[in-house]
Amino acid sequence: MTTVRRFGRRRLAAERVGTFFLVLVAAGARVVSAVTGGEIGRAAAAIAPGVMVPALIYALGETSSAHLNSAVTQASAARGHFPECRVPA
């Protein structure tokens, strides 16, 4: 396995992890709010994903080049704003 192929798999894994945590935090805040009867306010539910993004960029940015959502990466490549060769398969 070549280094390029292995690094592409790391990027893909980093994007998947980033997408998972963004969805978990964004949807999870609303679910917890519904289950607890509104103990988590709208502000906290809105701020949670905003706090998660810098944390994920700090944790995964070197590997994924801060592309945390595969759909965004593919859309950027389709529009010509991101090199096709760097899009994980």
Side-chain angles (χ1 to χ4, degrees):
M1 182 180 317
T2 65
T3 305
V4 174
R5 192 177 270 182
R6 189 177 321 139
F7 192 64
R9 288 184 182 176
R10 286 184 184 174
R11 279 192 186 134
L12 182 60
E15 287 187 15
R16 285 181 178 167
V17 168
T19 301
F20 170 78
F21 278 110
L22 284 176
V23 171
L24 178 73
V25 169
R30 297 194 60 126
V31 170
V32 170
S33 180
V35 169
T36 61
E39 287 188 27
I40 294 181
R42 285 183 175 214
I47 291 172
V51 171
M52 181 55 78
V53 169
L56 287 170
I57 289 172
Y58 180 72
L60 304 171
E62 187 175 326
T63 303
S64 70
S65 301
H67 286 262
L68 300 175
N69 190 332
S70 301
V72 173
T73 301
Q74 291 176 358
S76 294
R79 295 188 71 203
H81 296 242
F82 191 75
E84 286 279 338
C85 63
R86 294 201 49 203
V87 177

